[in-house]
Amino acid sequence: MKARIVLFAVLVVAWSGGVGARLYDLQVRRHPEFARKAASQQQRVVEIAAPRGAIYDARGRELAVSVEVESLYASPGAVPIDRERTAAALAPVLHQSAAEIAKRLDSDREFVWVARKLDPEVSRRVRELALPGIYFLTESRRYYPMRELAAQTLGYVGMDGEGLGGLEARYESVVRGKSAQRVLLRDALRESVALPEHPFDEPVPGQDLHLTLDASLQYMAEKELRLAVETSRAQSGVVIVLDPRDSAVLTLASYPTFDPNAFSRYPPSAWKNHAISDVFEPGSSFKMVTAAAAFESLKVSPDDPFFCENGRIVLGKTRINDHKSFGLLTFREVIAKSSNVGVIKAALIIGDQPLHSMITGFGFGRRSGIDLPGESPGIVHPVSSWSRIAKAYISFGQGISVTPLQLANAFAALANGGVVHQPYLVRAIGRDGAAEETQRPDPMGRAITPQTAVTLERVLETVVTDGTGRRAAVPGYRVAGKTGTAEKVIPGVGYSPTARMANFVGMVPARRPRLVCLVLLDEPRGATHGGDVAAPVFAAVMKQALLYLGVPPDPELLEDPELDRRAPGSTSRGSRMARTRASDEPRSAAIVERGAG
């Protein structure tokens, strides 16, 4: 008996020692290892995106905001064995495939997303299902309260909160903020919860953007642009409105457009900002640049006579035609009536380098620097590659490619006395009302002298009063501008015999410019000339904008409305001079040709 007791005691001691050793191994020596395994099984770290900063228009109206919404996730281990039934219940509410949901639920992971950033009504319907293993998590979602308004300019945001276009992408590092991590814990019943007492960082919201863009002006422009594109059956259209004093962008409209709240429902072509990414041959609106070079050279003045060869000119083996047959015109009339022949002769007078310098001086051939992604620099060939015929085409806006914004900004430089500014959209950046003005870059340079600018503005007034831009007139205001109609280039083919790019660019009031506006229609059908389809859109937008901004009319036009239909500043003097010099026609033509060398 005694031996048995001793043996039993030894066995008990040995067993106790083994258990103790095992407990020591598990609880002491291997504690860090098992603690890590427990944490990996019990905890799930989820990154919570910070609310993006808001985007406001020039008057403080919200264009983009972040709102709290619920996202749906699952803990597959807590979902009943019949996961297909859970997936089938969720599918019609989430508008997803039941098979796809079931595939996500059939996972060994402790956390899987089911649907992100739900609409409130969808969240309510899912909650009513009371499905085991299906949980909600609060996230931030981007919302655009004005829907399609300025969509290409604002851009859009992906599901993970990343800016994917427009200002959202350009200012991603400023607007995004700092995300935080949230720890989800799973209890013994495999239920996952976020415990408030568990330490975690709070997301840091991004900074707000305060724009120069005005939502009311943007709406006016988009409304008129949509009507024009649909009426003319054009492929697309652009309206740009700038403040010529510093090239602040007041409106940047492209059509067709899209709703950034649901951007994936639209084709990628609708996301494109045609105002900065498209290049086109401007046609006759580019004659403003040639005229500026002519006046700046002091070799041409507005009243100089040019014989326009009755509508055609031959350079080498190439014949270039006018849209009408013109004889003797003053240079003022050459611009007003948009004579290709007259502009070519002026360009030949001033030489290659001065014209090329004027083109680059106005900012063509390089990006304007606007704070948006995707801007094209356009195409300006080096002067060394110019032939006589190439220069002739460039002088009236063919053989050169520009963006709509470049062309609008060139007219803005003219309107402010010849100084070229960098267009911009963001006026201030800040948070919680403490926005600070962004530092604007210095002017990019002077393209022309103030004297040349005044002379050219007066000439461009006659385009609207006596020339091709009559339909751009705004009652009570002097308007200066230029029409443009160019044959569209088809890549790999050449110039289209039917497709046109129609545009009008102008400033108003002409003698104290407050606004510069460009209208461009891509392939309008029926009427295709800029004066017929683009100029009326300019007039409609500017009439509303001037009233909205409270810009007073020109007093002399209110006193004598007949002045609206006269050539400003010159009455009929230019026409009288042309008639008195008609007998000198051969001499005038000889002067022009001799000046061309």
Side-chain angles (χ1 to χ4, degrees):
M1 179 65 68
K2 184 176 179 182
R4 291 178 179 176
I5 293 173
V6 171
L7 178 61
F8 178 76
V10 170
L11 291 175
V12 169
V13 171
W15 178 81
S16 299
V19 170
R22 180 60 175 166
L23 290 175
Y24 177 83
D25 179 65
L26 293 175
Q27 297 184 12
V28 179
R29 191 175 66 84
R30 300 182 63 186
H31 175 269
E33 174 189 349
F34 286 110
R36 287 193 298 270
K37 287 185 176 182
S40 66
Q41 294 174 357
Q42 298 170 1
Q43 297 180 6
R44 170 71 181 182
V45 178
V46 179
E47 186 167 305
I48 306 299
R52 295 176 71 87
I55 301 179
Y56 299 97
D57 86 331
R59 302 200 178 198
R61 290 168 288 205
E62 292 179 338
L63 300 177
V65 295
S66 291
V67 295
E68 286 192 348
V69 294
E70 290 184 309
S71 289
L72 199 64
Y73 73 94
S75 177
V79 176
I81 299 300
D82 190 359
R83 293 172 179 174
E84 287 75 14
R85 182 177 300 178
T86 299
L90 288 171
V93 179
L94 300 177
H95 302 289
Q96 295 184 20
S97 164
E100 184 63 30
I101 297 176
K103 183 179 179 180
R104 288 198 290 271
L105 296 179
D106 187 19
S107 171
D108 294 332
R109 299 167 57 190
E110 296 300 326
F111 179 100
V112 293
W113 286 115
V114 178
R116 303 283 300 279
K117 303 179 180 180
L118 304 175
D119 291 334
E121 176 61 18
V122 175
S123 294
R124 183 188 64 79
R125 293 176 61 189
V126 172
R127 203 178 295 277
E128 289 176 352
L129 295 175
L131 298 170
I134 304 298
Y135 310 104
F136 291 91
L137 185 66
T138 300
E139 287 195 285
S140 177
R141 176 180 175 180
R142 201 58 159 171
Y143 178 63
Y144 302 88
M146 297 190 184
R147 299 170 63 86
E148 294 91 351
L149 191 84
Q152 291 94 344
T153 300
L154 296 176
Y156 48 96
V157 174
M159 190 59 69
D160 291 324
E162 180 183 2
L164 299 178
L167 292 168
E168 297 279 23
R170 170 63 177 79
Y171 287 92
E172 171 71 8
S173 61
V174 174
V175 178
R176 185 181 182 97
K178 183 180 180 182
S179 61
Q181 292 184 333
R182 186 68 50 88
V183 179
L184 300 180
L185 302 178
R186 190 183 68 172
D187 60 20
L189 298 178
R190 301 179 68 86
E191 295 288 341
S192 295
V193 292
L195 298 180
E197 63 271 16
H198 199 283
F200 56 83
D201 295 329
E202 288 290 348
V204 179
Q207 298 190 76
D208 302 331
L209 301 182
H210 298 262
L211 308 185
T212 60
L213 186 143
D214 189 295
S216 294
L217 292 176
Q218 182 77 19
Y219 172 76
M220 297 170 194
E222 290 188 6
K223 178 187 66 173
E224 298 297 338
L225 178 61
R226 177 174 183 171
L227 178 62
V229 170
E230 293 179 350
T231 301
S232 66
R233 294 174 293 162
Q235 287 192 357
S236 63
V238 169
V239 172
I240 300 172
V241 180
L242 302 178
D243 184 336
R245 294 171 292 188
D246 62 352
S247 289
V249 178
L250 307 181
T251 291
L252 203 63
S254 293
Y255 186 83
T257 186
F258 70 101
D259 183 353
N261 293 302
F263 68 90
S264 60
R265 301 177 187 173
Y266 296 80
S269 59
W271 310 341
K272 187 177 183 181
N273 194 331
H274 297 280
I276 65 170
S277 61
D278 285 1
V279 294
F280 70 107
E281 294 193 351
S284 293
S285 54
F286 197 76
K287 291 173 181 174
M288 180 277 286
V289 179
T290 304
F295 295 152
E296 193 79 359
S297 73
L298 303 179
K299 295 180 180 179
V300 178
S301 66
D303 294 325
D304 283 350
F306 284 78
F307 179 52
C308 296
E309 308 288 346
N310 296 317
R312 65 183 60 183
I313 186 173
V314 178
L315 298 175
K317 297 181 180 180
T318 302
R319 187 179 72 183
I320 301 175
N321 298 322
D322 266 333
H323 63 98
K324 288 183 180 180
S325 177
F326 298 115
L328 187 67
L329 299 176
T330 65
F331 191 64
R332 186 193 311 276
E333 292 170 325
V334 165
I335 299 299
K337 299 181 185 298
S338 204
S339 168
N340 291 341
V341 175
V343 168
I344 289 171
K345 288 188 172 185
L348 294 176
I349 289 174
I350 61 179
D352 294 358
Q353 189 58 56
L355 179 57
H356 186 273
S357 296
M358 186 62 65
I359 292 171
T360 57
F362 269 114
F364 298 105
R366 66 174 185 269
R367 293 178 178 85
S368 72
I370 188 172
D371 42 350
L372 282 175
E375 184 182 14
S376 171
I379 301 173
V380 176
H381 296 292
V383 69
S384 59
S385 68
W386 285 12
S387 63
R388 198 163 186 252
I389 186 64
K391 179 184 179 182
Y393 278 116
I394 290 171
S395 70
F396 61 87
Q398 290 198 249
I400 185 170
S401 294
V402 306
T403 67
L405 181 61
Q406 285 176 336
L407 188 58
N409 201 44
F411 275 76
L414 168 64
N416 70 24
V419 178
V420 181
H421 287 274
Q422 177 178 312
Y424 69 101
L425 277 158
V426 175
R427 176 180 54 81
I429 298 174
R431 187 187 296 122
D432 299 327
E436 294 184 5
E437 296 281 337
T438 58
Q439 184 175 356
R440 301 307 311 151
D442 294 331
M444 300 171 68
R446 175 174 288 280
I448 53 177
T449 63
Q451 295 78 10
T452 296
V454 171
T455 300
L456 186 51
E457 287 170 1
R458 300 296 184 269
V459 169
L460 293 179
E461 286 183 54
T462 65
V463 173
V464 179
T465 57
D466 293 336
T468 58
R470 289 183 175 90
R471 299 187 67 183
V474 180
Y477 297 87
R478 294 181 184 272
V479 177
K482 188 70 189 75
T483 56
T485 309
E487 297 171 342
K488 189 173 180 180
V489 176
I490 307 299
V493 177
Y495 288 102
S496 168
T498 57
R500 300 288 186 270
M501 300 289 287
N503 65 83
F504 181 88
V505 199
M507 61 194 75
V508 62
R511 301 192 179 184
R512 45 189 177 89
R514 177 65 177 83
L515 299 172
V516 165
C517 177
L518 172 143
V519 178
L520 172 68
L521 296 176
D522 183 358
E523 287 194 40
R525 300 182 184 180
T528 61
H529 290 90
D532 295 326
V533 294
V537 182
F538 171 93
V541 174
M542 289 296 94
K543 181 178 179 180
Q544 298 172 67
L546 292 165
L547 178 63
Y548 169 73
L549 295 173
V551 179
D554 291 304
E556 65 275 18
L557 297 186
L558 294 178
E559 296 170 2
D560 183 4
E562 285 297 313
L563 287 176
D564 272 323
R565 295 187 288 274
R566 299 180 192 168
S570 63
T571 62
S572 58
R573 179 174 176 271
S575 299
R576 287 199 305 271
M577 187 205 69
R579 289 195 296 271
T580 57
R581 292 191 178 181
S583 60
D584 295 335
E585 180 175 295
R587 176 176 177 271
S588 301
I591 291 173
V592 172
E593 293 297 341
R594 186 166 61 250

